[in-house]
Amino acid sequence: MQRWIILAVVTTALAGLAAPAQADDPVPATTVVSLGDAKIDPKLPGRVRVDVDYLCSVGTEARSLTVSVEQKDPQDSSSIAFGSSRTAEADVVCDGTQQQRQIVVQSKTFNWIPDVDAVLTATVSNIGATPPAAADAKRVTLTTAPAAPAATTS
């Protein structure tokens, strides 16, 4: 009986050594997007620049990055500035590294109002992937970006 137990243990140990090593599970396809600051362009107050960070895994699916901004006028509740910008599929870099972009969103109705809250939304869509999209939304106070220094001549 004792020989049978020893034989079973040795056989099991050898079978474990002979079995091919299993590869680790691949990292699941993940897409993450987050919004940063939003600043009104001082020369063109109908434009706001939105900082967006995103990370998406390498894939062959079509990708899309869309950023939208909505702002209500505190003096007139019927006035809403809004706009959105979609980045071309070829410009959405998905190589598994963190990407940082500044997206310009043009208001389609009114100029952006400085020092007033706005709602920002960013979405990275992965056509054909699971899950199909990742998004972030937040409320920020729009500020005016500092003007670029004037060129000097000597």
Side-chain angles (χ1 to χ4, degrees):
M1 173 86 170
Q2 194 174 23
R3 287 183 193 162
W4 182 81
I5 294 173
I6 293 172
L7 181 59
V9 170
V10 170
T11 304
T12 304
L14 289 174
L17 291 175
Q22 299 220 352
D24 292 333
D25 289 337
V27 176
T30 304
T31 301
V32 179
V33 62
S34 63
L35 289 157
D37 290 335
K39 303 242 184 243
I40 299 169
D41 187 324
K43 293 183 180 178
L44 298 166
R47 290 186 181 173
V48 66
R49 298 181 187 280
V50 181
D51 294 329
V52 180
D53 293 342
Y54 69 92
L55 170 84
C56 48
S57 58
V58 179
T60 58
E61 300 90 11
R63 307 295 172 103
S64 171
L65 170 62
T66 305
V67 177
S68 64
V69 181
E70 180 179 319
Q71 182 188 51
K72 291 183 181 180
D73 185 338
Q75 305 299 321
D76 181 3
S77 61
S78 65
S79 295
I80 299 175
F82 66 92
S84 67
S85 180
R86 181 179 177 276
T87 301
E89 194 178 298
D91 293 337
V92 180
V93 177
C94 290
D95 61 2
T97 62
Q98 184 78 19
Q99 302 295 317
Q100 296 178 334
R101 301 284 304 266
Q102 189 174 72
I103 307 297
V104 175
V105 178
Q106 175 73 43
S107 173
K108 296 179 180 7
T109 52
F110 304 101
N111 285 341
W112 304 109
I113 304 168
D115 303 320
V116 173
D117 284 353
V119 175
L120 310 178
T121 307
T123 306
V124 175
S125 301
N126 301 333
I127 312 306
T130 303
D136 187 23
K138 72 182 198 177
R139 183 179 304 272
V140 300
T141 300
L142 294 182
T143 58
T144 302
T152 58
T153 58
S154 37

